[in-house]
Amino acid sequence: MFLSVLSIAEPSDEPSAPSLQDAQESATEAASWVEQNWSTWLSIGLRVLLIVVIAGVLRVMIRRAITKLIDRMNRTAQAVDGTALGGLLVNVERRRQRSQAIGSVLRSVASFLILGTAGLMILGTFEINLAPLLASAGVAGVAIGFGARNLVTDFLSGVFMILEDQYGVGDTVDAGVASGEVIEVGLRVTKLRGDNGEIWYVRNGEVKRIGNLSQGWATAGVDVTVRPDEDLDKVRRTLLAVGEEISKDEPWNERLWGPVEVLGLDSVLLDSMVVRVSAKTMPGKALSVERELRWRIKKAFDAAGIQIVGGLPLQPEGEASAADPTAGMAPPSAYSNTSSPQAQAATPLTPAPAASASGSPNVTK
């Protein structure tokens, strides 16, 4: 009796093997569950596959369309390269970098929108509640944007700068913090080559104003300083002849966008007068036109007998020879004459003669 109670109280360590009937019942339940849900699974799978295929095809088509658009822009820029129109309206390197930057931005935005929308649609197909996920993504986006606000500011400023074509490669700009020739345009940083050869890395978000010296047209201005007694009509005729000559020579006829104008007297002084000469030029060519104008004006004035003055005040002829050569010397000093009272008063006193050894004065007999 005691042994039977112990056998009932202590279970056996070895599990009992499932019977064939239990296995048959489990298989029947699984088959019925699969039979009840296979249509739902198939529907979800087909939806996911359809979403992925449509997203992939749409992404490829949009990227190809953007690439073709960028290639067409580059071909248009290359078609006018080397011509006068190409030199005035377009720069191949500038258009290439600008088109590449725009294409990269458009492709990235298109991929993000298409793949993001496809991912949300797939999650919605699995009946996942997207409200907490979208709320979390919004909070995370705000936190990341707040932490990296400088980077976001630089990126957005670069995007708008490229889309608006504020400046490009080859332009000479004044960005406030630095100035020089643009050698590379990026979405975050713009590279400038300074006048001394230095390279400035300017963050797009730090640029508050841009002065583009290579768009539209430029003005070449030259101030000619002549004697006050020169014939103004002769000076005007000489300057107009120089302007007409330079407007006919290569390559200045392309760089000049208007005639060389004599604006008149800019200032009149006692020893000189300044005549202002101006001309509208191709953007970025004002400095070279000014140098060429000065060169030609100097040669023309020398041939016409017109003297260019400037710097020190002009002296009349013959005045330099008649001037006193000692006028620039300091006046003589009273101490230079040894017999003058001032020189005698400044002469040190001579010491008294020494006394004799006995202490009595030496008396001569």
Side-chain angles (χ1 to χ4, degrees), residues 118-143:
L120 293 177
M121 292 177 66
I122 290 174
L123 294 178
T125 304
F126 287 102
E127 297 181 357
I128 298 176
N129 189 9
L130 300 179
L133 181 62
L134 294 177
S136 302
V139 173
V142 170

Side-chain angles (χ1 to χ4, degrees), residues 124-274:
T125 304
F126 287 102
E127 297 181 357
I128 298 176
N129 189 9
L130 300 179
L133 181 62
L134 294 177
S136 302
V139 173
V142 170
I144 294 175
F146 181 78
R149 58 186 181 277
N150 291 332
L151 182 62
V152 175
T153 302
D154 296 340
F155 182 81
L156 293 179
S157 299
V159 170
F160 284 107
M161 179 270 300
I162 292 175
L163 293 177
E164 295 173 359
D165 195 18
Q166 298 177 5
Y167 56 86
V169 175
D171 288 351
T172 301
V173 300
D174 182 4
V177 294
S179 61
E181 181 182 356
V182 180
I183 59 177
E184 185 177 344
V185 178
L187 293 176
R188 193 181 67 88
V189 175
T190 298
K191 293 183 182 180
L192 302 178
R193 173 79 66 179
D195 296 334
N196 297 326
E198 70 275 10
I199 297 180
W200 298 95
Y201 294 85
V202 182
R203 289 172 44 196
N204 295 327
E206 295 293 329
V207 177
K208 304 302 179 183
R209 59 152 176 95
I210 286 289
N212 196 327
L213 306 179
S214 300
Q215 288 183 354
W217 48 270
T219 302
V222 177
D223 292 333
V224 184
T225 307
V226 297
R227 299 164 61 99
D229 55 353
E230 293 288 351
D231 187 1
L232 290 178
D233 295 333
K234 183 179 180 181
V235 172
R236 179 186 290 273
R237 289 194 301 269
T238 306
L239 293 175
L240 291 177
V242 171
E244 184 177 358
E245 179 185 358
I246 193 176
S247 62
K248 296 179 181 178
D249 295 342
E250 294 283 347
W252 310 108
N253 55 353
E254 293 184 358
R255 299 182 182 180
L256 285 172
W257 284 11
V260 178
E261 299 178 352
V262 180
L263 301 181
L265 286 176
D266 193 65
S267 62
V268 179
L269 304 176
L270 294 177
D271 55 354
S272 64
M273 56 183 178
V274 179

Side-chain angles (χ1 to χ4, degrees), residues 19 35 62 64 81 150 176 206 219 222 301 363 365:
S19 62
E35 184 179 1
I62 291 180
R64 285 186 178 180
D81 184 29
N150 291 332
E206 295 293 329
T219 302
V222 177
F301 275 20
V363 181
K365 296 181 180 179

